[in-house]
Amino acid sequence: MREVFQRSNTYRALQHMYLELGAFGTAASFLTEDYTDVIRHYPLTIGEFSVATDNRGMVNTLARKYRMTVGNIVREFGIANVSTGIKDAWDRHRVDDWREVIHIVQPREDRDDTKRDAKNMPWASTYIEVACDHQKVLRESGFEIFPALCPRWQTAGGDIYGHSPGMESLGDIKQLQQEQLRKGQGIDYMSQPPLQAPTAMKNVGVDSLPGGISYYDATSPHSGIRTQFEIRLDLNHLLADIQDVRGRIRSAFYADLFLMLANQTDARMTATEVAERHEEKLLMLGPVTESLHNELLDPHVDITFSRMLKAGILPLVPEELKGMDLNVEYVSVLAQAQRAVGTNSVDRFVSNLGVVAQIKPEVIDKLDVDEWADAYSDMLGVDPKMIIPGEQVALVRKQRAQAQAQAAQAEQQKLQSETVRNVGSVDPSQMGDVMNMFSGYSTPGTVQ
């Protein structure tokens, strides 16, 4: 699937959609089949599409209005399916005239479940020519799955369209633009102030460049060129407010989150404090990333997988995956950072467990180190190739236990052989006296 993404325009389309989300809160893109690249994105911009949701709050209807030339309409839909006006324009070779077309994708309520043709698929796709009198239907077909991606930044209540950081900071953006305009005007007043000159110089050219000289006949000693009024503007307060507004805009677009460590000025901050701040800021984007996973990334993967399955380019299913549900995990920097937030609680648990173990060592039995290693590596986004599977770990441990048992057995045999050898070197007379000591029937003494 990554190869399909790289060959198609997926990443360019996603970048466009992310920009639309941050500015307008709602983005849309048609994801259709493509003979060359398997899939093809047709991203839309705000103002040319409309969406609707179902009772679960998920987008299930997308309509767009766009323009096509007469030539492209005829090539796309066929001369037999267009209106009389487009036929006349085609016959007069006016193929570059523009016409408006509406494309609507919506659930098909009146379909026949027993048929699998285009007009009985779960999703209806209808192209309508707007300019004609009766809104000519150019094509009516369908899709097996909803072919559009319609993510929203954040929704509240029954909202259909999303709410974006651009909407939240719109007032600050307008204020910043107005203050920049006033600052520019103030600088212009100070650098090029309005002048006043004698009426005798009305038709005389004035050289206003630095070092320039303008000659005229003065009627009084104080009739030279001078500024109309003195301008000494203090822009410090305006500049301070501009910086404050810029900070609010950066905060609205989460710039402080992504540049948290780069903008940190306190070098005495501990690693624990850094982790706490990192966790607090990432939790602010939790609902947004969850919405993007549900409305953008998951549908994108599902549609691409179905297109690849239909094209017959997927390899055979491995025996280990037959009958199993597949779960997609995202490996972007933000997704990894959010999963890594869970390591803070794990670190605190293991650290406190070690402290308690110094008093009560048996508490260590509560920690499943194998599960800890798997969960911790998953939170950090470690490459699975670096983690040995549980079956292989069990085999290694079994071999290690067998080797340790063999070593212990060899050590025991060695100890027994040394004992036998030492016993064989003892004087029999002393051996008998020792036996008498343990038997209790005689006292130690020299054997006669």
Side-chain angles (χ1 to χ4, degrees):
M1 295 181 71
R2 284 196 291 264
E3 293 178 1
V4 173
F5 295 155
Q6 292 173 359
R7 293 186 58 179
S8 65
N9 63 335
T10 294
Y11 295 112
R12 295 193 302 272
L14 290 179
Q15 181 186 14
H16 171 82
M17 297 178 71
Y18 289 143
L19 294 176
E20 294 275 328
L21 283 172
F24 308 111
T26 306
S29 175
F30 273 101
L31 185 57
T32 61
E33 298 179 1
D34 188 79
Y35 180 79
T36 304
D37 300 330
V38 184
I39 59 173
R40 193 72 184 175
H41 283 266
Y42 294 92
L44 310 177
T45 188
I46 197 71
E48 68 175 0
F49 69 90
S50 300
V51 297
T53 58
D54 57 13
N55 59 335
R56 298 173 56 247
M58 302 299 295
V59 176
N60 66 342
T61 301
L62 175 64
R64 59 168 175 162
K65 179 187 289 188
Y66 61 104
R67 302 177 67 197
M68 294 181 66
T69 62
V70 170
N72 289 335
I73 291 177
V74 173
R75 298 185 190 97
E76 177 70 20
F77 304 103
I79 191 65
N81 298 319
V82 299
S83 64
T84 304
I86 292 184
K87 290 180 180 179
D88 293 341
W90 176 265
D91 294 336
R92 292 196 302 267
H93 304 287
R94 298 175 57 181
V95 295
D96 293 329
D97 290 353
W98 291 95
R99 298 289 190 273
E100 285 189 344
V101 177
I102 293 179
H103 181 204
I104 303 176
V105 178
Q106 58 187 347
R108 180 176 274 127
E109 305 294 344
D110 55 348
R111 70 188 185 95
D112 189 353
D113 297 341
T114 62
K115 298 180 180 180
R116 303 295 297 174
D117 59 337
K119 294 185 178 181
N120 287 282
M121 288 186 178
W123 303 92
S125 174
T126 308
Y127 288 87
I128 302 174
E129 182 185 343
V130 181
C132 61
D133 297 335
H134 303 288
Q135 292 189 348
K136 174 70 174 178
V137 176
L138 299 173
R139 178 191 297 162
E140 185 178 0
S141 59
F143 298 96
E144 294 181 354
I145 57 178
F146 188 56
L149 304 174
C150 303
R152 296 164 293 177
W153 181 271
Q154 193 172 7
T155 58
D159 290 346
I160 296 177
Y161 296 91
H163 191 78
S164 70
M167 297 177 183
E168 295 180 359
S169 60
L170 183 59
D172 290 330
I173 293 174
K174 290 183 177 181
Q175 179 181 351
L176 179 61
Q177 292 174 345
Q178 185 69 18
E179 289 181 339
Q180 291 286 4
L181 176 62
R182 297 305 182 197
K183 184 185 72 172
Q185 290 176 344
I187 294 175
D188 285 340
Y189 272 120
M190 288 189 293
S191 60
Q192 293 183 347
L195 304 177
Q196 61 181 1
T199 57
M201 297 187 62
K202 183 175 182 180
N203 298 322
V204 178
V206 177
D207 188 358
S208 60
L209 295 176
I213 301 177
S214 300
Y215 297 96
Y216 71 102
D217 294 330
T219 59
S220 66
H222 302 289
S223 60
I225 300 176
R226 61 181 183 270
T227 59
Q228 187 172 356
F229 48 84
E230 295 295 331
I231 302 176
R232 294 292 185 267
L233 297 180
D234 185 7
L235 299 179
N236 292 328
H237 300 289
L238 181 60
L239 294 177
D241 191 64
I242 287 176
Q243 292 297 329
D244 180 64
V245 175
R246 286 178 176 175
R248 293 201 301 266
I249 296 175
R250 292 193 185 99
S251 178
F253 283 94
Y254 300 97
D256 55 342
L257 188 153
F258 296 102
L259 299 177
M260 179 187 61
L261 295 181
N263 297 334
Q264 183 55 245
T265 58
D266 188 1
R268 299 172 299 175
M269 186 180 299
T270 63
T272 304
E273 187 176 357
V274 171
E276 292 291 341
R277 291 192 178 188
H278 193 58
E279 179 179 355
E280 179 182 356
K281 290 181 178 294
L282 283 176
L283 289 178
M284 296 174 59
L285 278 180
V288 177
T289 55
E290 185 70 20
S291 176
L292 291 181
H293 288 175
N294 295 333
E295 297 184 355
L296 175 62
L297 301 182
D298 287 344
H300 186 273
V301 171
D302 294 339
I303 295 174
T304 304
F305 187 85
S306 64
R307 298 283 188 264
M308 296 174 64
L309 185 63
K310 184 177 180 180
I313 61 176
L314 288 175
L316 296 178
V317 180
E319 292 293 334
E320 294 80 4
L321 295 181
K322 287 185 177 180
M324 295 182 61
D325 294 332
L326 299 180
N327 184 27
V328 178
E329 292 186 358
Y330 302 104
V331 295
S332 66
V333 176
L334 185 57
Q336 291 183 5
Q338 284 198 313
R339 287 205 306 269
V341 169
T343 60
N344 297 332
S345 58
V346 176
D347 290 338
R348 290 194 293 268
F349 169 72
V350 175
S351 177
N352 292 330
L353 196 66
V355 174
V356 176
Q358 297 178 3
I359 305 174
K360 194 173 182 181
E362 56 269 20
V363 74
I364 296 297
D365 298 336
K366 293 290 294 183
L367 179 62
D368 189 343
V369 292
D370 291 344
E371 186 64 26
W372 169 84
D374 292 338
Y376 207 87
S377 61
D378 181 69
M379 294 176 184
L380 296 178
V382 178
D383 190 346
K385 296 180 181 178
M386 300 176 59
I387 307 301
I388 301 177
E391 296 81 3
Q392 188 174 350
V393 171
L395 180 61
V396 171
R397 290 175 176 173
K398 182 179 179 181
Q399 294 175 353
R400 184 187 299 117
Q402 292 177 351
Q404 291 176 350
Q406 293 176 358
Q409 184 178 3
E411 183 68 22
Q412 185 177 5
Q413 292 177 352
K414 180 180 178 182
L415 180 61
Q416 291 177 353
S417 61
E418 291 179 354
T419 303
V420 173
R421 184 170 61 253
N422 293 335
V423 171
S425 61
V426 176
D427 189 357
S429 60
Q430 298 179 359
M431 188 65 182
D433 187 51
V434 172
M435 294 301 295
N436 290 332
M437 290 175 59
F438 285 98
S439 62
Y441 292 102
S442 61
T443 59
T446 303
V447 179
Q448 299 299 328

